[in-house]
């Protein structure tokens, strides 16, 4: 529980509606989308505006109380688990679209806004906001900014960082900064906007974002290509890019994922295929036709066993929904689902999938792999059981080897999920000791008392993944 | 001159070929593309590889000697003037294209590579690197990265930061870091890549960059629209974007610029027009045709007096070259040309041009305005004479008011040229005292002894623009 002085001050700022420290609220905010991680906060606060956030931060700074910003907690890296207790700051009451500027093609929003609601709103105005993390139906824009979320459209359209033009953020001191603006070009000093995007709530609390919107594509078309051989699928990915075609979506599902998704979504997929590519192109109708035609030809040249172009928008939507449901479908198999995020240069997709399969077999664990083949962002997913300590240790050992393999292939430990607590022990493998040192120095320069989301990004001693319980 | 110990150590690392401290070399590197700024370095070094850069940095750190990284010195913000003496590190001997990776659509290059040579090389391979600063015939990729250079294609394609996927850089301590990679998605820790892009050589020396390439557009078409009224031209810009058309290039030239460019390039432009828009669209041929047709219709609806679509690639090239020559053409008018970089939301273009004209009249100075209308990035350019102290003071007063106006309109003090020394006194106007404080803390965390490009980005006392001479 919070010390009484801090509690009284926070209550004065937030009122009864904005402050909770009953057991239910604390437990509800002790975990997030990440399995096997839990730590109780001392209190949960729900600010309604930037002034409140600033006032809260000043109180917390004075009392040296940690704070974890939180949207819907859909992240998969333990990013919003309050490892060191303190306050969880939930942004759901700051969920307004403040402005859509049709002249400048920008939107200014609060962080608690649900991603999908925002996308639907701008689509209603004939505009397009591409970042589409699989969690978008419940994730918030603030959470997407904290993690630099990607999604299925990343290959062609980029990720969250490519759409954040400006931010308002509250520093650990309570000071408010504004970065960027409705500006396509701005080089006034260091790019604090891009530094805050993906900083996982460790540098500042984002209270407002100005986002770039783009004209929507006029048409889109979706297709499936099915392969008996993994390398044929991987080579198809390379050949498409080589031919200078950048599809909107270029997803990969391995055989175990195909089986699970089919059982879940009832698509009638052939269950003996080694891999399926789900491909979508968008743009002007004539271009979509041409690209899909060329992609179809490439798939056949690369020995796709079956190629199926969706006949209707409904059929296309069904295929995409099936892909989006992969995590949910896999989660039904066994009690615990650990979805990872190893990413490699796209030319290394096949090598990486084979590595994952080899490592899974070596450690006798179940790992399915699906993900964004077009940008090399794979999601090897272990279905396991947290109660089986021996198996969990084998899963952890397998993922450590998977991270090692992705680094060896020129990749990274996380493409779009963030480091959080789960991948912190591996960060040095990617960025080196000097890189960690620079990042730690940046962290200290923003947050000298380490109050913002402590325990994230930077590793403590252990490399093991453990259930943390501060009860 | 350098102290003898440091000089001997640098000579040992670099050899006679890589070290110069004769008067000619020092004078040659005492200024850059920015008028009225000069400061002598103590020595000039020419490293050939990353190991040399690291060794040099260690020597300089030990002796507390400042260092300014430099490509071709084409910047317009005093970015490479060695204000506090020390060493200028010229990257021209590190100018190789290390790899073009056709599977991953990336290129890995050294910083001394000339931008235009790089663009031509990848075009020869059927690929496209969009950032095209007007100085690209002599500017280097390293300089572009330091300043986050933009260019004419920024509206549709973004600027340098959108194409840098990974960096190798040497810290002030001599330590080498590697950021990012051949990865379209990478969220392993803070985005050091994006932080270094545009950091103006104040945080690290970039020694290698991995750049994103994209498929080239199949066709392009160029047109001119001429207006008797400035607001008609500005409204055309808004209407094009409003119709969800994003041209590759959407340039604005005001009447004084039209006259000068025409006199320089002999285009036969009508000299009584208030403004000209130079518009280019690229992409698949049928789309280019459709967009140019729609843009032409919008121009006419918005009362363009004349619309002229280039009949041939040569004619188009001539128009673009004329626009690119604006700076050179203006520079012929009077001895001193000061080209600025105020940037506003694109909906504010007309307001900003009128403000510039009002301010120029008020201070009785000549300011022509041209620039990238599509992204609100204007280049008000004063033609003046550095020997006329009174006029120079009026020019400085006018630019201070122009920066103030652009901030008032929701803009920034620099869109693509950088802060350097010239705009340092105005940075706080854009980012606020808290923003400056955060940036200073980042600077200290990288460079505690302030050895990298000291005097840049962060202002000293004075807000005046002065000729600095350390003789």
């Amino acid at each position: 529980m919070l010390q009484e002085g801090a509690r009284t001050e926070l209550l004065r700022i937030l009122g009864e509606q904005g402050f909770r420290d009953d057991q239910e609220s604390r437990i509800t905010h002790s975990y997030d989308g990440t399995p096997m991680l839990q730590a109780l906060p001392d209190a949960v606060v729900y600010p309604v505006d930037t002034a409140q956030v600033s006032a809260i931060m000043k109180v917390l700074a004075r009392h040296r109380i940690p704070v974890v910003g939180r949207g819907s907690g859909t992240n998969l890296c333990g990013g919003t688990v309050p490892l060191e207790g303190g306050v969880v700051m939930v942004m759901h009451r700051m969920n307004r679209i403040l402005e859509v500027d049709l002249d400048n093609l920008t939107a200014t929003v609060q962080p608690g806004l649900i991603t999908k609601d925002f996308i639907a709103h701008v689509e209603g105005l004939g505009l397009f906001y591409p970042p589409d993390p699989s969690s978008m139906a419940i994730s918030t824009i603030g959470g997407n900014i904290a993690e630099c979320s990607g999604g299925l459209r990343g290959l062609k359209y980029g990720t969250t960082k490519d759409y954040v033009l400006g931010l308002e953020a509250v520093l650990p001191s309570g000071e408010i900064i504004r970065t960027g603006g409705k500006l396509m070009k701005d080089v006034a000093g260091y790019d604090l906007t891009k530094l805050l995007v993906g900083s996982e709530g460790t540098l500042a609390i984002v209270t407002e974002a100005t986002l770039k919107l783009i004209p929507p594509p006029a048409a889109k078309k979706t297709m499936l290509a099915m392969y008996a051989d993994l390398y044929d699928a991987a080579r198809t990915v390379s050949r498409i890019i080589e031919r200078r075609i950048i599809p909107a979506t270029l997803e990969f599902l391995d055989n175990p994922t195909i089986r699970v998704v089919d059982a879940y979504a009832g698509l009638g997929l052939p269950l003996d295929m080694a891999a399926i590519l789900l491909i979508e192109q968008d743009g002007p109708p004539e271009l979509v036709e041409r690209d899909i035609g060329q992609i179809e030809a490439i798939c056949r040249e690369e020995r796709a066993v079956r190629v199926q172009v969706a006949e209707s928008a409904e059929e296309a939507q069904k295929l995409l929904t099936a892909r989006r449901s992969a995590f949910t479908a896999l989660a039904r198999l066994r009690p615990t689902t650990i979805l990872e995020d190893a990413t490699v240069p796209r030319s290394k997709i096949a090598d990486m999938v084979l590595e994952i399969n080899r490592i899974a077999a070596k450690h006798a664990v179940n790992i399915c792999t699906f993900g964004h083949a077009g940008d090399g962002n794979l999601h090897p997913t272990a279905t396991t059981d947290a109660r089986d300590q021996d198996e969990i240790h084998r899963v952890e050992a397998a993922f450590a080897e998977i991270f090692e393999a992705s680094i060896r292939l020129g990749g990274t430990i996380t493409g779009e999920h963030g480091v959080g607590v789960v991948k912190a022990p591996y960060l040095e493998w990617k960025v080196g000791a000097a890189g960690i040192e620079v990042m730690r120095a940046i962290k200290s320069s923003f947050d000298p008392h380490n109050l913002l989301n402590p325990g994230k990004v930077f590793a403590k001693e252990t490399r093991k993944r453990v259930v943390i319980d501060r009860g």
Side-chain angles (χ1 to χ4, degrees), chain A:
Chain A
M1 297 284 283
L2 289 183
Q3 51 196 115
E4 199 46 41
R7 188 176 190 279
T8 309
E9 289 176 60
L10 290 177
L11 261 169
R12 195 178 305 135
I13 293 164
L14 288 149
E16 296 281 347
Q17 287 214 312
F19 182 91
R20 292 271 185 284
D21 59 359
D22 55 285
Q23 191 68 357
E24 291 72 18
S25 299
R26 292 169 63 213
I27 290 174
T28 313
H29 295 87
S30 66
Y31 57 88
D32 59 21
T34 322
M36 303 192 302
L37 274 177
Q38 194 172 19
L40 272 188
D42 297 302
V44 184
V45 300
Y46 304 84
V48 293
D49 59 23
T50 305
Q52 277 195 356
V53 174
S54 171
I56 293 164
M57 297 299 273
K58 283 177 185 162
V59 172
L60 299 178
R62 205 162 50 242
H63 293 277
R64 301 277 194 270
I65 296 168
V67 57
V68 180
R70 180 183 167 118
S72 298
T74 54
N75 78 84
L76 297 168
C77 63
T80 47
V81 175
L83 291 181
E84 304 193 4
V87 167
V88 170
M89 187 185 290
V90 180
M91 308 308 283
H92 274 174
R93 295 212 289 174
M94 293 176 68
N95 65 350
R96 281 183 304 141
I97 297 172
L98 301 172
E99 184 198 32
V100 177
D101 181 336
L102 296 175
D103 284 338
N104 291 301
L105 301 192
T106 62
T108 301
V109 307
Q110 291 185 313
L113 179 64
I114 303 293
T115 312
K116 198 174 184 180
D117 293 351
F118 175 60
I119 291 175
H121 182 82
V122 301
E123 280 182 359
L125 299 169
L127 287 165
F128 185 34
Y129 178 75
D132 62 339
S134 291
S135 56
M136 68 184 184
I138 34 173
S139 73
T140 63
I141 294 290
N144 295 171
I145 289 170
E147 304 296 334
C148 187
S149 301
L152 274 63
R153 301 192 281 233
L155 168 62
K156 183 171 186 174
Y157 291 105
T159 62
T160 301
K161 69 176 182 301
D162 299 305
Y163 294 87
V164 182
L165 296 173
L167 292 171
E168 179 190 74
V170 180
L171 299 174
S173 62
E175 272 191 295
I176 299 163
I177 59 170
R178 286 196 152 271
T179 73
K182 292 180 184 177
L183 298 164
M184 300 302 135
K185 286 177 176 171
D186 177 19
V187 293
Y190 304 143
D191 194 340
L192 298 183
T193 308
K194 296 280 193 276
L195 181 61
L196 290 178
V197 175
S199 65
E200 307 190 13
T202 63
L203 301 179
I205 300 282
V206 169
T207 49
E208 194 183 296
T210 297
L211 305 171
K212 178 180 169 179
L213 305 173
I214 61 174
K220 59 180 153 183
K221 208 144 191 183
T222 307
M223 58 178 280
L224 283 184
M226 301 160 207
Y227 294 85
D229 182 285
L230 189 63
Y231 263 100
D232 292 340
R235 213 171 30 248
T236 300
V237 173
S238 292
R239 294 269 328 272
I240 292 169
I241 309 288
E242 226 177 81
R243 285 262 202 107
R244 312 290 183 256
I245 302 171
I246 309 285
T249 291
L250 182 35
E251 296 289 309
F252 168 91
L253 290 83
D254 74 354
N255 177 276
T257 311
I258 296 168
R259 290 169 173 273
V260 171
V261 166
D262 193 70
Y264 181 78
L267 293 171
L269 297 173
L271 302 182
D272 55 343
M273 293 290 112
I276 286 183
L277 294 178
L278 170 67
I279 307 168
E280 187 167 274
Q281 182 57 304
D282 62 13
E286 56 274 47
L287 251 188
V288 171
E289 287 298 331
R290 185 198 304 168
D291 281 356
I292 289 287
Q294 289 189 6
I295 291 170
E296 206 179 329
I298 294 169
C299 292
R300 291 192 199 285
E301 284 160 32
E302 297 302 336
R303 307 195 302 162
V305 178
R306 209 169 107 193
V307 179
Q308 172 187 339
V309 179
E311 296 293 333
S312 64
E314 292 68 37
E315 191 187 340
Q317 197 50 49
K318 202 172 160 192
L319 296 178
L320 276 167
T321 305
R323 159 61 188 87
R324 284 189 193 280
S325 72
F327 178 42
T328 315
L330 286 165
R332 300 195 323 165
L333 289 187
R334 297 191 62 205
T336 309
T337 311
I338 304 176
L339 190 154
E340 271 308 339
D341 190 33
T343 299
V344 290
R346 60 184 148 221
S347 62
K348 302 294 185 190
I349 286 282
D351 295 342
M352 188 63 195
V353 173
L354 289 182
E355 275 293 278
I356 291 168
N357 292 347
R358 184 188 61 75
I359 293 165
K362 173 182 162 190
H363 293 278
V365 293
N366 300 317
I367 297 185
C368 307
T369 299
F370 61 96
H372 318 301
D375 45 23
N377 182 199
L378 292 174
H379 294 312
T381 302
T383 53
T384 178
D385 186 340
R387 294 162 300 188
D388 182 341
Q389 278 302 307
D390 178 63
E391 182 172 324
I392 288 294
H393 286 148
R394 282 183 282 123
V395 168
E396 287 169 357
F399 275 122
E401 284 189 37
I402 286 170
F403 294 143
E404 204 279 325
S406 88
I407 298 290
R408 204 171 55 236
L409 292 168
T412 183
I413 57 169
T414 173
E416 59 179 11
H417 290 174
V419 176
V421 60
V422 172
K423 273 155 291 186
Y426 306 101
L427 181 60
E428 195 175 318
W429 298 4
K430 170 67 177 75
V431 305
I436 294 264
E437 207 179 311
V438 168
M439 291 182 191
R440 274 193 195 277
I442 293 170
K443 165 70 172 171
S444 300
S445 73
F446 274 80
D447 183 19
H449 304 298
N450 193 24
L451 299 179
L452 260 74
N453 212 358
K456 307 301 164 62
V457 181
F458 304 105
K460 311 227 161 170
E461 319 305 314
T462 174
R463 287 177 33 178
K464 273 197 191 161
R465 194 163 172 185
V466 288
V467 180
I468 294 162
D469 195 334
R470 297 179 68 256

